[in-house]
């Protein structure tokens, strides 16, 4: 590293008017000299100035040049003396200007930019004090805390010095631009990562964003940590014979994953298992040991003679997301990255060396073309090309060259790709109005379950004062927890209600919680089969009255708005409506039976129109006065009634 300073030695009378009248210090550059086999050469260019080419002297062993060395009073020897140093045409960079946060304001005023050396002299939180920070350099003073909150970022061109505390929240990003920059930790650095809820035998592939993190230091809440030994891997014979030519991640002997208790190496991925049994629980991780990884991080890839026999488990080593595309482009021996989606519990029917084995159906893939979901799931596991802080993944190395991470891969957004076994689940709650009594029913949609009774997945309701519960499709059983198969929007779930309150009062049904990619994007409708109403529970709660009793099959939960209330659909299946959508006139044709009445309901079950008819199998209603929305037309005939969804444009 060479520090160069310069000052004016001559007066303005000797040189001209572009300098001060009194000799003065002008500035300083600090440059890192990387390759000692090359001639050190500094190139200066100040565009449009009289000093495009200046001769200068530096101290060191290199001495050619027309001028003599002038190192008197300076340590070292002459490096070079060169006249005419305008060799690059590039302008000199602007030096970092100090900008300080005092707890209320930036001084000088204005948000920092990439040319500012940001000094945090009082607590700063990006969530409350002004947002994300872009800087040339950052210093966090002693007894001061800088917090980068969820989804925010700290982007720094050069060095970070932490004399106080730096907190990096889950999904936040800290990015440095210069690979040679440093992170000096004289205080405390916390990088928080929260895993998704992990069921028994679920695991995450994880690494560390800190330089000297340990198993005991961050993964103390995990039951077991394993690291992967590529040299012990050989593709499973059973899988190879069944799928000749396919990529294999199943080992033959089962000795490629070993229990691990030591330090977490930057860039390496580890299997982190929460527990064998128990309810789904997240691991709330706090990486604290050492300092932030930055710059070039290398992982010594292992190669077993063929690419298929050379799986390596690695991990994003930074406190920020990285681009999978940039990672692949930077490594010639990597053609794709593989993510473990842990959808399916291990079972004895899966090929492998253990009594219970995981399945390759749970692996998703991303390369420069794009991504594919895990075969055992839906589009919810489709990789988006972003790898989160500490997220582990697999690669199949095509040679033994080191695998490299660098700062050019780092991102200031998208740090949200830690995925879990995605289960669609909905919790429905009923509350007695006027009494502090309530009940919750859980319905889950899980690949391993069926629409019948499954041991370990379904449970009877409790005999509580107030109860909401679900039935099987035939209306049998009273289940407080029920698992169905994989979610489909055409599913209908019969629901029952019971109360021991010996009076007529109102009750309210609401969605207590909902999770899973399918359900979070679906609309939940509650049908009250007794009152013949439909409520969009995704938008509002439903209140109804009831006396004491057990009311099996009173409600139906479904996910599409079409509903038939009290109708034999097979009898009326030939009724047609058109056009649908419509802007005004809706025609209804009933080939077999006379239409007696048409009642139109809005999506929450309110009557918005009703019209009677006599002795006609073809009728029309005018919807031109209604707002554009979804409605339900209840069509009454001599043989019964049915409901059809209509769209008013």
């Amino acid at each position: 590293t060479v520090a160069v300073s310069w000052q004016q030695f001559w007066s303005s009378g000797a040189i001209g008017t572009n300098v001060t009248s009194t000799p003065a210090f002008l500035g300083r550059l600090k440059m890192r000299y990387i390759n000692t086999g090359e001639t050190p050469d500094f190139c200066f260019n100040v565009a449009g100035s009289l000093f495009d080419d200046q001769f200068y002297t530096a101290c060191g062993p290199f001495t050619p040049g027309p001028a003599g060395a002038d190192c008197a009073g300076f340590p070292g020897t002459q490096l070079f003396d060169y006249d005419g140093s305008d060799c690059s045409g590039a302008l000199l960079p602007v030096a970092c200007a100090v900008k300080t946060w005092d707890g209320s304001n930036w001084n000088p005023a204005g948000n920092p930019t990439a040319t500012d050396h940001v000094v945090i002299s009082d607590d700063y939180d990006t969530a409350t004090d002004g947002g994300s920070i872009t800087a040339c350099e950052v210093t966090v003073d002693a007894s001061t805390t800088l917090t980068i909150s969820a989804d925010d970022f700290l982007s720094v061109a050069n060095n970070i010095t932490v004399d106080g505390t730096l907190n990096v929240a889950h999904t936040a990003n800290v990015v440095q631009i210069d690979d040679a920059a440093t992170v000096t930790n004289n205080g405390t650095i916390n990088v928080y990562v929260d895993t998704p809820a992990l069921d028994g035998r679920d695991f995450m592939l994880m690494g560390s964003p800190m330089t000297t993190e340990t198993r005991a230091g961050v993964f103390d809440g995990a039951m077991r940590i394993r690291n992967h030994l590529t040299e012990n891997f050989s593709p499973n014979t059973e899988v190879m014979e069944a799928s000749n030519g396919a990529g294999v991640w199943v080992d033959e002997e089962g000795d490629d994953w070993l229990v691990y208790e030591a330090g977490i190496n930057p860039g390496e991925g580890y299997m982190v298992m929460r527990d064998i049994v128990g309810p789904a629980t997240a691991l709330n991780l706090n990486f604290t040991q050492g300092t932030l990884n930055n710059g070039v991080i290398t992982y010594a890839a292992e190669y077993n003679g063929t690419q298929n026999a050379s799986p390596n488990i690695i991990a994003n080593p930074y406190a920020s997301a990285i681009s999978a595309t940039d990672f692949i482009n930077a490594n010639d021996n990597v053609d794709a990255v593989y993510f473990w989606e842990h959808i399916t519990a291990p079972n004895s029917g899966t090929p492998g060396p253990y009594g219970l084995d995981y399945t390759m159906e749970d692996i998703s893939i991303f390369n420069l073309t794009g991504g594919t979901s895990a075969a055992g799931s839906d589009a919810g596991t489709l990789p988006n090309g972003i790898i989160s802080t500490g997220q582990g993944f697999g690669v199949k190395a095509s040679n033994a060259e080191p695998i490299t991470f660098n700062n050019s891969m780092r991102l200031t957004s998208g740090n949200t790709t830690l995925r879990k076994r995605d289960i669609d689940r909905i919790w429905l709650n009923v509350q007695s109005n006027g009494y502090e009594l309530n009940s919750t029913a859980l319905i889950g949609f899980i690949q391993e379950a069926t629409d019948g009774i499954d041991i370990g997945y379904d449970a009877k309701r409790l005999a509580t004062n107030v109860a909401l519960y679900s039935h099987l499709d035939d209306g049998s059983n009273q289940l407080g927890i029920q698992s169905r198969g994989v979610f489909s929007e055409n599913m209908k779930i019969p629901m029952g209600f019971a109360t021991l309150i010996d009076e007529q009062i109102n009750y309210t049904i609401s969605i207590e919680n909902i999770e899973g990619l399918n359900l979070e994007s679906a609309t939940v409708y509650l049908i009250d089969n007794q009152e013949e109403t439909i409520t969009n529970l995704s938008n509002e709660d439903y209140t109804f009255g009831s006396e004491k009793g057990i009311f099996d099959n009173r409600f139906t939960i479904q996910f599409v708005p079409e509903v038939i209330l009290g109708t034999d659909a097979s009898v009326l299946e030939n009724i047609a409506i058109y056009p649908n959508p419509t802007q005004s006139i809706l025609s209804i044709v009933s080939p077999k039976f006379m239409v007696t009445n048409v009642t139109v309901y809005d999506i929450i079950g309110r009557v918005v129109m009703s019209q009677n008819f006599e002795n006609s199998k073809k009728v029309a209603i005018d919807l031109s006065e209604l707002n554009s929305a979804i409605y339900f037309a209840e069509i009454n005939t001599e043989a019964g009634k049915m409901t059809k969804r209509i769209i008013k444009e």
Side-chain angles (χ1 to χ4, degrees), residues 194-508:
D194 299 330
T195 73
L198 301 176
D199 293 323
R201 289 191 167 89
D202 272 0
F203 64 84
M204 296 288 293
L205 295 178
M206 296 292 298
S208 171
M210 300 290 283
T211 56
T212 58
E213 195 58 76
T214 64
R215 185 264 194 259
V218 69
F219 297 126
D220 57 325
M223 182 196 72
R224 183 174 296 134
I225 306 295
R226 291 190 174 102
N227 70 322
H228 186 258
L229 299 183
T230 303
E231 65 266 28
N232 288 0
F233 179 87
S234 57
N236 183 271
T237 304
E238 180 182 359
V239 177
M240 289 287 287
E241 290 176 351
S243 304
N244 186 29
V248 176
W249 287 83
V250 181
D251 185 41
E252 178 72 10
E253 293 85 12
D255 60 352
D256 59 329
W257 287 98
L258 299 181
V259 174
Y260 189 79
E261 298 290 344
I264 307 302
N265 300 313
E268 184 173 358
Y270 301 82
M271 179 191 292
V272 181
M273 183 175 288
R274 182 195 63 79
D275 208 339
I276 295 294
V277 295
T281 306
L283 290 173
N284 304 119
L285 306 174
N286 182 15
F287 297 88
T288 63
Q289 299 184 75
T291 191
L292 295 177
N293 290 321
N294 179 63
V296 177
I297 304 292
T298 58
Y299 174 82
E302 296 185 41
Y303 181 67
N304 286 338
T306 67
Q307 187 175 20
N308 203 23
S310 305
N312 287 258
I313 307 300
I314 56 181
N316 174 6
Y318 304 118
S320 70
I322 63 171
S323 164
T325 298
D326 292 343
F327 170 80
I328 295 170
N329 281 327
N331 292 281
D332 293 337
N333 56 342
V334 173
D335 57 11
V337 295
Y338 299 81
F339 300 102
W340 173 248
E341 304 293 354
H342 48 104
I343 303 160
T344 310
N347 62 82
S348 58
T350 301
Y354 306 108
L356 298 175
D357 288 282
Y358 296 93
T359 174
M360 286 190 295
E361 305 286 316
D362 290 357
I363 297 175
S364 62
I365 310 173
F366 183 89
N367 68 4
L368 299 181
T369 302
T372 58
S373 302
S377 73
D378 52 36
T381 61
L382 181 67
N384 65 358
I386 298 178
I387 304 172
S388 285
T389 295
Q391 182 175 2
F393 56 98
V395 299
K396 291 270 191 167
S398 61
N399 57 53
E401 294 179 3
I403 292 173
T404 299
F405 299 88
N406 61 54
N407 284 353
S408 67
M409 304 172 187
R410 298 169 74 170
L411 304 171
T412 57
S413 63
N415 199 0
T416 58
T417 59
L418 283 179
R419 291 190 295 272
K420 64 183 170 94
R421 180 187 182 194
D422 189 55
I423 302 177
D424 292 298
R425 292 183 279 203
I426 181 171
W427 289 260
L428 298 167
N429 179 268
V430 62
Q431 174 76 44
S432 59
N433 297 1
Y435 296 86
E436 293 185 359
L437 298 172
N438 66 85
S439 170
T440 298
L442 167 61
I443 304 168
F445 302 89
I446 300 175
Q447 185 177 24
E448 297 87 349
T450 69
D451 291 344
I453 295 295
D454 299 296
I455 296 175
Y457 290 93
D458 300 303
K460 292 181 179 293
R461 77 169 179 94
L462 295 175
T464 52
N465 290 314
V466 173
L468 184 66
Y469 49 88
S470 63
H471 301 291
L472 300 182
D473 284 336
D474 61 4
S476 64
N477 290 274
Q478 296 181 356
L479 301 172
I481 300 176
Q482 181 184 177
S483 286
R484 296 288 185 118
V486 175
F487 175 80
S488 167
E489 67 172 9
N490 295 317
M491 286 180 164
K492 296 181 180 181
I493 314 297
M495 303 287 296
F497 166 75
T499 175
L500 299 178
I501 299 175
D502 197 13
E503 61 177 298
Q504 176 82 22
I505 65 169
N506 286 338
Y507 299 84
T508 299

